[in-house]
Amino acid sequence: MARTHKIAVMPGDGTGPEVVAEGVKVLDKAAAKFGFTLDYSHFDYGGDRYLRTGEVLPENAVEELSRNDAIFLGAIGHPDVKPGILEKGILLALRFALDQYVNLRPIILYPNVDTPLKDKGPDDIDFVVVRENTEGLYAGAGGVLKKGTPDEVAIQESINTRKGVERCIRFAFEYARKRNKGKKVTLCGKTNVLTFAFDLWARAFYEVAEEYPDIQTDYAHVDATCMWMVKNPDWFDVIVTDNMFGDIITDLGAMIQGGMGIAAGGNLNPEGVSMFEPIGGSAPKYTGQNVINPMAAIGAAQMMLDYLGETEAAASVEQAIRTVVAEKMKSMSAGRMGYGTDEIGDLVAAAL
Ligand code: IPM
Ligand code: MN
């Protein structure tokens, strides 16, 4: 019997549906070539549904999504919906409810892609950020007092549990071993100021590190991490960090790897259901014009194949991405690729 993977497809808002369609095109080609079946279920969660129904996620959403082996997400964010509602109500809600405790974000500069970093090339930019994905400032702890008055107080607390931090750190060490490149994990923190939270992180980090004598350890404050990512990105192999710092440094990472058009990520629960997404957002102004770069979504699809155990197919999609990026595309930016969104998907599928 052929292997079957159940995939929940959530195109979402803006250009999400366009890029997801290209990801699915490539997935279908990979499935045909490598002899497995993808059984898709479609979910219309996003801004349009919210505006129509007034609910962000229906009651049974988590349960229905959990019946799948993985989720393939386009983008969440709608210009007519107040910021925060969809992001917290859908994206963060799913990351939390499905306990996707690692947000894995590879920062790879493919050959022939422009980076704003002078004199840096593909040999210098090849690392991955392991971002804690369920705690920190994102946990929603805190509150507001005397709102709207001159005495207003707003408190937003960073939650760091030993368990949450440790599982994320352990994932980073395992990943560094499996990746087998620099064999180094850098903790990105702020131990000089956030002396409660990052003291916990640092202790957990060095304790876990003892179990991995083959992996080097390093530490950088988050501000210095930003500096080194620009100055010496080749120093990094695997960076592990908290939710907020991970959010920030991966946007910087996306820029040095050629832009949001190429940056993919996976929200992972190694023991549960993971969700793969291009990290760039819904880019509403490009919606429906066939100009958005679907490569990040195709990269997310490739990460999903790898996670589903279709490693050969994943490697082959990665090679196809490299080929199309190196030999065909003029730019990673929307509208300047030299091809339409759908043609990029065709090219990657053909290169497979
Ligand atoms: C990301 C995004 C989200 C985040 C937003 C949309 C809530 O920026 O995936 O990086 O902050 O995690
Ligand atoms: Mn972000």
Side-chain angles (χ1 to χ4, degrees):
M1 257 265 299
R3 299 179 304 283
T4 299
H5 306 290
K6 286 167 71 70
I7 308 294
V9 181
M10 252 178 78
D13 301 318
T15 51
E18 288 169 74
V19 298
V20 158
E22 301 316 306
V24 167
K25 191 187 276 177
V26 172
L27 286 169
D28 284 340
K29 182 73 190 286
K33 187 169 173 205
F34 291 91
F36 56 91
T37 305
L38 296 171
D39 175 7
Y40 301 107
S41 312
H42 294 267
F43 295 86
D44 66 351
Y45 308 146
D48 288 328
R49 184 181 205 281
Y50 171 70
L51 291 170
R52 214 171 55 236
T53 66
E55 88 190 334
V56 271
L57 281 179
E59 222 181 296
N60 58 355
V62 172
E63 192 196 317
E64 290 206 9
L65 289 168
S66 316
R67 290 201 202 109
N68 294 275
D69 298 311
I71 304 167
F72 185 39
L73 167 67
I76 297 295
H78 195 291
D80 301 337
V81 181
K82 205 175 124 208
I85 294 181
L86 301 171
E87 292 87 341
K88 285 177 90 167
I90 301 178
L91 186 62
L92 300 183
L94 291 178
R95 287 176 181 170
F96 292 176
L98 297 168
D99 202 22
Q100 295 164 338
Y101 61 85
V102 162
N103 197 328
L104 186 68
R105 297 188 161 181
I107 316 288
I108 303 169
L109 179 65
Y110 286 120
N112 224 16
V113 172
D114 279 339
T115 173
L117 301 189
K118 191 164 165 276
D119 302 329
K120 300 291 179 202
D123 289 342
D124 305 300
I125 303 172
D126 182 357
F127 59 96
V128 20
V129 177
V130 173
R131 164 186 175 188
E132 201 293 319
N133 211 31
T134 55
E135 304 192 336
L137 282 168
Y138 279 66
V144 60
L145 290 174
K146 303 182 186 171
K147 188 165 181 172
T149 75
D151 296 324
E152 180 164 347
V153 182
I155 299 173
Q156 193 105 37
E157 287 162 316
S158 177
I159 303 298
N160 299 265
T161 68
R162 173 69 197 215
K163 185 178 142 206
V165 166
E166 187 172 322
R167 65 184 180 175
C168 178
I169 289 172
R170 183 162 276 112
F171 180 94
F173 278 94
E174 286 291 333
Y175 197 81
R177 188 179 268 173
K178 181 166 151 243
R179 191 175 131 85
N180 200 18
K181 286 198 170 154
K183 291 208 156 194
K184 176 163 117 178
V185 181
T186 304
L187 172 64
C188 163
K190 192 73 187 174
T191 52
N192 53 349
V193 176
L194 306 180
T195 49
F196 309 131
F198 280 98
D199 180 57
L200 189 164
W201 273 83
R203 276 182 287 114
F205 180 74
Y206 290 110
E207 277 167 37
V208 171
E210 306 241 317
E211 296 167 35
Y212 297 86
D214 51 322
I215 308 294
Q216 257 188 82
T217 56
D218 200 0
Y219 173 81
H221 296 318
V222 62
D223 47 351
T225 301
C226 292
M227 176 180 78
W228 297 125
M229 279 173 70
V230 170
K231 202 170 168 342
N232 287 94
D234 54 297
W235 285 2
F236 296 118
D237 177 34
V238 174
I239 298 178
V240 64
T241 191
D242 83 349
N243 211 339
M244 187 78 257
F245 292 166
D247 179 47
I248 297 167
I249 69 170
T250 54
D251 265 30
L252 175 58
M255 286 305 114
I256 69 172
Q257 73 176 132
M260 287 300 185
I262 187 89
N267 302 277
L268 308 183
N269 176 345
E271 295 89 41
V273 182
S274 299
M275 178 165 76
F276 298 82
E277 54 170 339
I279 79 171
S282 60
K285 68 177 176 185
Y286 296 122
T287 304
Q289 298 172 40
N290 199 34
V291 296
I292 193 80
N293 187 353
M295 222 34 128
I298 297 171
Q302 178 250 321
M303 290 178 74
M304 181 168 77
L305 288 176
D306 197 41
Y307 161 86
L308 290 168
E310 298 296 345
T311 44
E312 254 188 288
S316 173
V317 172
E318 196 194 351
Q319 195 47 52
I321 294 173
R322 282 182 187 272
T323 305
V324 172
V325 159
E327 295 172 15
K328 307 278 185 187
M329 295 176 73
K330 292 194 173 58
S331 161
M332 292 300 114
S333 306
R336 286 186 291 182
M337 303 183 289
Y339 298 91
T341 305
D342 56 345
E343 290 172 305
I344 300 294
D346 292 343
L347 286 168
V348 177
L352 256 181

